[in-house]
């Protein structure tokens, strides 16, 4: 089930100022694919208002919401209106011009959180019940939640403000203020506790249900940055019932935010009596005392990999260059970044003591090492592969604003320029290989460097066989010996260069730049190849359904694919406003993948994926 979704003024994740948008049009016989199918429309309906800010469904498709700055409208799974209204009438404190809005979806309905940052006067907050539209609570006690005079994207974190974090396990909000953080009940606004021993925004948290405790780390949020003095990085253990800080520990490092998603680049795990924090390496703390037990740190190379953040009409950053830690019952494997030589290698550490058990040979010329795998007594390392690019592109669109100024951009002559977000996978030139390490010694068991142009992620079958592709070939390897079992010319499938591999029963489906090709695991023979799809930049596996996305030329097309035979079930094209940032402008998909919603202004279309 979905939890949070943000609407941002100038960020335009939802395509707020795309005046030339059209309702998601079903692409039937003209759609690409091995066999042109078409989705069917379940119904078409309308919001009471124009959905220029939020337009999305809950995970089940039971509630569909559309909002603008000043009002909301909700319809049900049958396209019937449930409620609508202006915020100043729905809220008792007259919360109105809500620059920030986000939803918290629950089993039935959820919350619509509104922030009214007033230039003159007291900031207002209100929370509405998504199922009924009734105000649950409001407040003018919480100030400086929204960064004033800054771009909207600087104040978001996973769909929430930096200063407000929804704790789903407690159905509560943690609200950061200048001198403290406050936990309030999400459905009533009642303050549960407040502590001044933790300052800053919550960058990451882990809830321990057995102990009813929260482990969390802070960072300096944009909204409160100017108000802080003596800020320090904190890792804390909190009694969730009363807010008592059982211990706090300081750490070295800066928690950065991803460019588009604004997610904090940090991870936390609780394993037994230890807390593992992944930030520029691994830092391990005793759960009971907060004392650091061991660490394996290194410089993070993301900044060096980015190129310029500002580059003409594009702002771009690169992520997912290093694999996540690989945990076993008694060890953890870390991809490390070397010093001045910028090499990469793998270390195996004892989970309890942190003792270095072995370090692999250093690999030069690897821009990324995004995945490591354990198979029996072997560790398989992917050297090279795809990285995630998050960027904003300055694009010009027609606008009803005429020569008026658009937020987050500038305009004139009936057009506006706006920063439009994109998230996609890309390949960088580097030395690619499969490296197999003996788990006991860290010595190289075998390697294959037959990947001239690129290398996909791996698929492992029963700890016996490894499947992997490069741009033009598809390979199978015996894991124990490294023997190459087959080599198939993927370019003969005529679907473009391979970009990813998908485990699908007895087949491996190779997602490619212009379609799909599937290969039988037993011998590598090709099972099918789809006809060309003009451009594929993202892949989704939702429930039992598979989708491809094409965002070229400011379009947003979602293809539904039958992975058993490569046929296209149907396609939806939309330039509409709203939609989920995950799926792009004007589109949202239910969590089971059975229904697609397409939006434009007041219009809503519900589309069935499987006929």
């Amino acid at each position: 089930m979905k939890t949070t979704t943000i609407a941002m003024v100038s960020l335009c994740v939802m395509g707020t100022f795309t005046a030339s948008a059209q309702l998601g049009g079903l692409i039937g016989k003209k759609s690409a694919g091995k066999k042109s199918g078409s989705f069917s429309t379940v119904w078409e309906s309308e919001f009471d208002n124009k959905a220029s800010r939020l337009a999305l469904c809950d995970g089940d498709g039971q509630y569909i919401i559309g909002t603008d700055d000043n009002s909301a409208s909700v319809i049900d799974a049958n396209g019937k209106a449930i409620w609508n209204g202006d915020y100043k009438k729905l809220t008792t404190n007259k919360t109105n011009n809500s620059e920030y809005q986000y939803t918290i979806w629950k089993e039935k309905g959820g919350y619509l959180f509104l922030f009214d940052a007033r230039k003159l006067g007291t900031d207002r907050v209100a929370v509405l019940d998504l199922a009924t539209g009734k105000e649950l609570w409001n407040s003018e006690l919480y100030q400086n939640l929204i960064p004033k005079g800054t771009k909207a994207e600087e104040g978001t974190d996973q769909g929430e403000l930096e200063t407000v974090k929804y704790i789903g396990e407690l159905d509560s909000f943690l609200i950061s203020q200048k001198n403290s953080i406050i936990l309030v009940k999400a459905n009533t606004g009642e303050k549960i506790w407040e502590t001044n021993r933790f300052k800053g925004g919550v960058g990451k948290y882990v809830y321990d249900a057995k102990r009813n405790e929260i482990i969390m780390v802070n960072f300096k949020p944009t909204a409160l940055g100017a108000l802080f003095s003596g800020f320090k990085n904190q890792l804390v253990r909190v009694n969730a019932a009363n807010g008592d800080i059982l211990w706090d520990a300081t750490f070295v490092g800066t928690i950065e935010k991803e460019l588009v998603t604004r997610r904090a680049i940090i991870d936390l795990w609780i394993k037994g009596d230890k807390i593992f924090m992944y930030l520029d390496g691994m830092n391990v703390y005793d759960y009971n005392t907060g004392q650091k037990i061991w660490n394996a740190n290194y410089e993070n190379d993301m900044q060096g990999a980015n190129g310029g953040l500002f580059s003409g009409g594009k702002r771009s950053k690169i992520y997912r260059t290093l694999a996540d830690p690989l945990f076993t019952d008694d060890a953890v494997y870390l991809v490390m970044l070397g010093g001045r030589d910028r090499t990469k290698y793998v270390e195996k550490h004892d989970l309890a003591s942190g003792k270095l058990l072995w370090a692999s040979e250093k690999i030069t010329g690897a821009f990324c090492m995004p995945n490591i795998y354990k198979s029996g007594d072997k560790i398989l390392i992917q050297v090279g592969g795809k990285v995630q690019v998050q960027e904003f592109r300055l694009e010009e669109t027609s606008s009803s604003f005429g020569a008026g100024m658009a937020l987050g951009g500038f305009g004139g002559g009936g057009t506006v320029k706006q920063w439009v977000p994109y998230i996609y996978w890309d390949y960088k030139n580097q030395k690619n290989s499969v490296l197999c390490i003996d788990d006991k010694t860290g010595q190289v068991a075998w390697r294959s460097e037959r990947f001239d142009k690129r290398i996909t992620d791996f698929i492992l079958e029963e700890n016996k066989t490894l499947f992997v592709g490069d741009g033009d070939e598809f390979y199978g390897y015996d894991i124990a010996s490294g023997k190459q079992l087959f080599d198939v010319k993927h370019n003969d499938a005529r679907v473009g260069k391979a970009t990813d591999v998908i485990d699908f029963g007895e087949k491996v489906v190779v997602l490619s730049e212009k379609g799909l090709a599937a290969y039988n695991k037993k011998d590598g023979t090709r099972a099918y190849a789809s006809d060309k799809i003009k451009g594929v930049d993202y892949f989704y596996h939702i429930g039992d359904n598979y989708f491809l996305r094409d965002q070229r030329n400011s379009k947003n097309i979602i293809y539904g694919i039958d992975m058993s035979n490569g046929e296209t079930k149907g396609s939806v094209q939309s330039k509409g406003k709203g939609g989920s940032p995950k799926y792009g402008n004007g589109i949202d998909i239910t969590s089971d993948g059975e229904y697609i919603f397409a939006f434009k202004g007041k219009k809503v279309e519900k589309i069935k994926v499987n006929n």
Side-chain angles (χ1 to χ4, degrees):
M1 178 173 291
K2 299 178 183 177
T3 55
T4 59
T5 304
I6 188 76
M8 292 169 273
V9 177
S10 63
L11 180 56
C12 299
V13 168
M14 313 297 187
T16 303
F17 292 100
T18 308
S20 61
Q22 62 186 35
L23 182 63
L26 296 180
I27 306 175
K29 297 301 181 181
K30 294 181 180 180
S31 66
K34 185 176 180 181
K35 178 180 179 182
S36 295
S38 60
F39 296 139
S40 59
T41 296
V42 180
W43 49 252
E44 293 182 0
S45 185
E46 288 191 355
F47 293 123
D48 182 68
N49 60 338
K50 287 187 177 181
S52 58
R53 184 166 298 285
L54 287 179
L56 65 159
C57 70
D58 69 344
D60 297 328
Q62 299 302 305
Y63 297 89
I64 303 97
I65 186 171
T67 76
D68 56 26
D69 285 354
N70 311 104
S71 67
S73 178
V74 174
I75 60 179
D76 65 16
N78 298 313
K80 305 298 182 182
I82 301 176
W83 63 267
N84 62 76
D86 294 338
Y87 294 147
K88 61 184 178 182
K89 295 180 180 179
L90 293 170
T91 62
T92 55
N93 67 344
K94 296 183 179 179
T95 295
N96 188 27
N97 187 29
S98 296
E99 294 180 342
Y100 286 79
Q101 305 171 22
Y102 68 85
T103 59
I104 304 292
W105 296 111
K106 301 186 66 179
E107 186 175 352
K108 293 184 178 180
Y111 310 118
L112 174 60
F113 211 132
L114 306 174
F115 298 87
D116 186 356
R118 305 171 71 198
K119 294 181 180 178
L120 299 174
T122 305
D123 293 350
R124 294 166 175 166
V125 173
V127 177
L128 304 182
D129 183 351
L130 275 168
T132 64
K134 294 181 179 180
E135 181 186 66
L136 296 173
W137 59 275
N138 69 72
S139 178
E140 297 179 16
L141 297 175
Y142 309 117
Q143 299 300 298
N144 300 299
L145 296 180
I146 304 171
K148 293 179 174 63
T150 61
K151 293 184 178 181
E153 64 264 25
E154 294 179 4
T156 62
D157 175 26
Q158 302 184 47
E160 302 169 1
L161 289 177
E162 292 180 332
T163 49
V164 179
K165 177 73 70 175
Y166 178 69
I167 308 295
E169 296 88 344
L170 302 175
D171 193 25
S172 300
F173 293 105
L174 270 171
I175 299 177
S176 300
Q177 291 290 267
K178 177 181 178 181
N179 297 314
S180 66
I181 61 166
I182 305 164
L183 186 74
V184 302
K185 292 183 179 179
N187 59 349
T188 66
E190 175 190 350
K191 183 168 75 173
I192 302 172
W193 49 258
E194 180 175 4
T195 179
N196 59 8
R197 290 188 56 192
F198 182 89
K199 296 180 181 180
V202 178
K204 189 78 174 181
Y205 81 91
V206 179
Y207 177 70
D208 187 336
K210 293 181 180 179
R211 301 179 177 97
N212 191 27
E213 293 175 353
I214 306 171
I215 304 295
M216 57 188 181
V217 293
N218 70 345
F219 67 98
K220 196 172 185 177
T222 305
L224 295 174
L227 302 175
F228 276 131
S229 60
F231 176 82
K232 62 178 181 179
N233 292 327
Q234 289 179 285
L235 170 69
V236 300
R237 174 186 169 198
V238 186
N239 183 323
N242 57 24
D244 286 349
I245 303 295
L246 303 175
W247 53 254
D248 72 288
T250 59
F251 61 90
V252 177
T254 301
I255 300 177
E256 299 178 7
K257 295 277 193 150
E258 292 181 355
L259 181 64
V260 173
T261 68
R262 306 307 295 162
R263 292 187 178 94
I265 304 175
I266 185 172
D267 274 307
L268 286 176
W269 299 271
I270 298 174
K271 293 186 176 295
D273 60 353
K274 295 178 180 60
I275 299 166
F276 291 79
M277 181 175 73
Y278 195 50
L279 175 67
D280 294 344
M282 185 65 73
N283 298 276
V284 184
Y285 299 83
D286 183 277
Y287 188 100
N288 297 308
T289 66
Q291 291 183 339
K292 182 183 284 190
I293 301 173
W294 63 271
N295 65 277
N297 291 352
Y298 55 87
E299 180 186 355
N300 191 306
D301 71 341
M302 287 186 184
Q303 292 298 323
N306 294 334
L309 173 60
F310 296 93
S311 178
K314 183 185 294 186
R315 300 185 294 169
S316 182
K317 284 197 173 186
I318 294 172
Y319 304 99
R320 314 297 188 264
T321 58
L322 302 179
D324 290 337
L326 173 62
F327 289 97
T328 64
D329 291 339
D330 55 8
V332 60
Y333 303 81
L334 304 172
V335 174
M336 306 295 290
L337 175 66
R340 295 179 180 178
D341 55 2
R342 314 300 290 176
T343 58
K344 294 179 176 67
Y345 58 99
V346 174
E347 288 186 352
K348 178 181 180 180
H349 291 263
D350 179 79
L351 200 64
S353 66
K355 178 183 177 182
L356 177 62
L357 301 177
W358 52 252
S360 73
E361 67 175 37
K362 292 186 176 182
I363 308 298
T364 58
F367 180 83
C368 66
M369 287 176 61
N371 291 295
I372 50 178
Y373 309 80
K374 189 174 190 304
S375 177
D377 60 354
K378 299 289 192 297
I379 300 298
L380 296 158
I381 304 169
Q382 179 185 334
V383 181
K386 65 181 184 296
V387 294
Q388 189 185 80
V389 181
Q390 296 189 17
E391 66 186 21
F392 289 98
R393 301 174 191 169
L394 192 60
E395 297 183 354
E396 186 174 279
T397 61
S398 60
S399 171
S400 59
F401 291 101
M405 192 72 72
L407 287 171
F410 47 90
T415 63
V416 294
K417 287 187 177 181
Q418 61 188 28
W419 289 105
V420 179
Y422 290 86
I423 301 176
Y424 60 93
W425 298 100
D426 195 12
Y427 284 86
K428 302 296 180 182
N429 290 330
Q430 58 188 304
K431 184 177 180 180
N432 306 305
S433 66
V434 177
L435 182 63
C436 181
I437 300 292
D438 183 275
D439 185 35
K440 293 182 179 179
T441 65
Q443 298 299 307
V444 175
W446 59 269
R447 78 173 77 222
S448 175
E449 297 179 327
R450 301 193 60 182
F451 307 90
D452 295 334
K453 298 178 181 179
R454 63 178 58 178
I455 186 170
T456 69
D457 296 349
F458 301 167
I459 289 178
L460 308 184
E461 181 76 3
E462 297 179 348
N463 289 330
K464 295 180 180 179
T465 313
L466 181 152
F467 303 99
V468 61
D470 69 2
D472 301 319
E473 309 281 329
F474 178 67
Y475 302 97
Y477 292 92
D478 177 73
I479 294 174
S481 65
K483 178 183 177 181
Q484 182 179 300
L485 302 177
F486 55 78
D487 172 3
V488 180
K489 292 188 177 298
H490 177 66
N491 54 2
D492 289 348
R494 301 182 183 277
V495 291
K497 295 185 181 300
T499 60
D500 212 340
V501 284
I502 303 158
D503 196 343
F504 192 77
E506 297 179 351
K507 303 181 184 68
V508 174
V509 179
V510 180
L511 175 64
S512 306
E513 293 174 340
K514 297 180 180 180
L516 304 170
Y519 299 91
N520 293 306
K521 292 179 179 177
K522 61 180 180 180
D523 55 12
T525 56
R526 186 176 299 119
Y528 66 77
S530 70
D531 286 341
K532 288 185 178 181
I533 297 174
K534 292 182 179 179
V536 177
D537 71 344
Y538 222 84
F539 158 75
Y540 305 97
H541 179 197
I542 310 171
D544 294 327
N545 298 280
Y546 295 82
F547 301 91
L548 305 180
R549 186 187 72 185
D550 177 4
Q551 283 192 319
R552 294 172 308 113
N553 303 319
S554 301
K555 295 180 180 179
N556 186 29
I557 305 175
I558 301 290
Y559 297 92
I561 303 295
D562 184 339
M563 298 290 278
S564 65
N565 55 25
E567 294 180 359
T568 300
K569 297 178 181 179
S571 305
V572 177
Q573 176 178 331
S574 179
K575 294 182 181 179
K577 300 174 182 178
S580 167
K582 183 176 181 180
Y583 304 116
N585 277 351
I587 297 290
D588 201 7
I589 305 175
T590 56
S591 56
D592 59 6
E594 294 296 325
Y595 295 96
I596 299 172
F597 289 91
F599 304 97
K600 180 201 172 184
K602 287 189 173 184
K603 296 182 180 180
V604 187
E605 186 176 6
K606 183 178 181 179
I607 299 155
K608 185 175 176 60
V609 171
N610 298 298
N611 296 320

